[in-house]
Amino acid sequence: MSELVEPLIVVGVDGSNHSKEALRWGVAQAKATGGRVHAVMSWEWNTNPFAVGTAEQADLVHAEEAARQKLSDTVAEAVGTSPGVPVFRRVERGAPGQVLVEASQEAELTVVGTRGYGGIKGALLGSVSQQVVQYAAGSVVVVRHRP
């Protein structure tokens, strides 16, 4: 007998208003479908070979811990502490687009905002959103932020 598994919705979160809107949408979709949400935030260390200094292990731990705190704060701000569906927080090291494409492998649906903190302010679609739309394993929803 197979075990029923709640559909997984992966949501890319970077702390921007666009990602908060995507998280709210993902939680509403999970409520409608009996699903669960993985709020995914990536972090990277500067890999520029011309950067001054080298990363110490303590710096890497601090960067990851800062990402965990930012994700926790963003989730609480966007959907509160009791959103009505399971919302798991995942912090992964790597480029945001690649992390979300990899996370999409296990998801029924991947949700991203139209753009995050980077890029050109007036762009219709950010580079991370574009990468996820092109390479995600399954369906992708791009949520536009409404000011």
Side-chain angles (χ1 to χ4, degrees):
M1 188 160 103
S2 66
E3 186 177 319
L4 289 177
V5 178
E6 301 164 316
L8 174 60
I9 299 171
V10 167
V11 181
V13 178
D14 67 0
S16 69
N17 288 330
H18 293 264
S19 73
K20 291 175 190 172
E21 195 71 32
L23 184 57
R24 286 189 281 271
W25 193 96
V27 165
Q29 183 67 16
K31 286 179 184 177
T33 61
R36 59 199 162 101
V37 173
H38 282 193
V40 179
M41 177 177 280
S42 71
W43 68 277
E44 285 187 289
W45 190 256
N46 184 357
T47 57
N48 179 350
F50 301 108
V52 177
T54 59
E56 299 292 327
Q57 187 63 31
D59 294 333
L60 297 176
V61 169
H62 177 71
E64 183 175 2
E65 204 44 52
R68 287 189 190 287
Q69 186 61 53
K70 184 175 182 179
L71 177 59
S72 181
D73 293 346
T74 302
V75 169
E77 184 180 333
V79 296
T81 56
S82 298
V85 295
V87 177
F88 302 96
R89 295 169 189 87
R90 287 175 51 183
V91 173
E92 305 281 341
R93 184 175 180 183
Q98 185 63 37
V99 165
L100 290 171
V101 167
E102 287 173 10
S104 78
Q105 301 292 324
E106 61 196 62
E108 296 282 325
L109 181 66
T110 303
V111 183
V112 292
T114 50
R115 61 181 178 79
Y117 279 122
I120 301 167
K121 189 167 178 117
L124 297 176
L125 196 62
S127 60
V128 172
S129 301
Q130 181 70 42
Q131 186 176 359
V132 172
V133 166
Q134 285 184 292
Y135 299 109
S139 297
V140 178
V141 172
V142 180
V143 178
R144 182 178 298 279
H145 169 66
R146 295 186 188 114

